[in-house]
Structure formats: C-alpha cells, structure tokens
C-alpha cells in the first residue's frame, strides 16, 4: 500500500475516533480538540493525515476551526441519546473486561445493526 493510501486509512481512523467521542458525548459542545500537530505527534502520523481527519469532521458539522481558538466541538453537534451512550459504554467495558477482540465486537455490532435496518425496511 502506498504511503498516501496508508495516510487515508489513518485519517479515517482518526476521524472515526473523534466522531465517536463527539456523538457519544465524551467530547462535549465547545470542548477543544488537540491541535493537528499534537494529534499527529501523539499518533505518529503526519500532520497532513490529521488535518484530513479534522477537515472531514468540520465538513460533517461536528467541529468548528477558528484561527487562534483551535478546533472545538460544534454547538450543533448532536450527541446520541443517553440510553445508547450507556449501552455503548457498557459494551466497551464488558469487551475489555472479558478480553474479546474489539474488531469482532464491531463486526458483530455492524451486522446486527444492518440486519435491524433490513428488518425495518422489510416491514414497511
């Protein structure tokens, strides 16, 4: 895989990470994200990779970037309902406690969500 394609995958992972923190309410409205350079340094990726992720978050309305004020969670970012946030946190804690592979859990959750959507569409 070329370095450029690897960077796209890494920026998607960074995007997914911050998106998850925002929609779950773990990063609240107005809270500041680390700078692009700090995130890049912390994750061992290029600043361009991090900037792509932040730009996608901004395009999706989840963050606002202002010169001098940094990147902050948008006031219009809509967190998930509290019931869903608690279920997700419980699933994460249980996954860690019993040592289940996170990828397997995510694959199973996606499959369940996809089948739930299909069932709703079929009922209509």
């Amino acid at each position: 895989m070329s370095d450029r394609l690897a960077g796209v995958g890494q920026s998607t992972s960074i995007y997914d990470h911050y998106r998850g923190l925002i929609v779950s309410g773990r990063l609240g409205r107005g809270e500041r994200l680390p700078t692009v350079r700090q995130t890049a340094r912390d994750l061992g990726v290029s600043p361009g990779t991090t900037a792509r992720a932040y730009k996608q978050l901004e395009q999706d309305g989840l963050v606002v970037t202002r010169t001098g004020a940094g990147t902050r969670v948008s006031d219009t970012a809509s967190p998930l309902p509290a019931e869903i946030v608690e279920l997700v946190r419980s699933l994460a804690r249980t996954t860690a406690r019993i040592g289940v592979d996170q990828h397997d859990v995510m694959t199973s959750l996606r499959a369940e969500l996809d089948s739930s959507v299909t069932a709703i569409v079929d009922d209509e």
Side-chain angles (χ1 to χ4, degrees):
M1 180 183 324
S2 75
D3 288 343
R4 184 173 178 199
L5 290 178
V8 170
Q10 291 168 332
S11 69
T12 299
S13 293
I14 295 166
Y15 166 85
D16 288 343
H17 173 75
Y18 281 115
R19 185 178 191 285
L21 292 174
I22 293 166
V23 300
S24 71
R26 288 192 159 225
L27 269 179
R29 294 177 178 132
E31 285 191 69
R32 189 172 182 171
L33 275 63
T35 65
V36 166
R37 286 185 182 163
Q38 184 62 52
T39 297
R41 200 171 20 255
D42 290 348
L43 299 177
V45 299
S46 74
T49 297
T50 303
R52 275 193 297 278
Y54 278 37
K55 182 175 178 132
Q56 186 62 52
L57 290 166
E58 189 165 24
Q59 288 173 342
D60 290 351
L62 296 171
V63 299
V64 176
T65 303
R66 293 198 176 93
T67 304
T71 301
R72 297 182 180 272
V73 176
S74 169
D75 287 339
T76 60
S78 179
L80 292 171
E83 180 180 10
I84 298 297
V85 171
E86 185 48 44
L87 287 169
V88 169
R89 288 179 181 164
S90 176
L91 177 61
R93 285 190 302 268
T94 301
T95 298
R97 181 175 47 79
I98 64 176
V100 176
D101 183 271
Q102 291 179 11
H103 179 75
D104 290 343
V105 172
M106 294 301 296
T107 301
S108 297
L109 181 58
R110 281 190 191 100
E112 185 61 34
L113 291 170
D114 289 346
S115 67
S116 295
V117 169
T118 302
I120 291 170
V121 170
D122 289 345
D123 288 346
E124 291 179 351

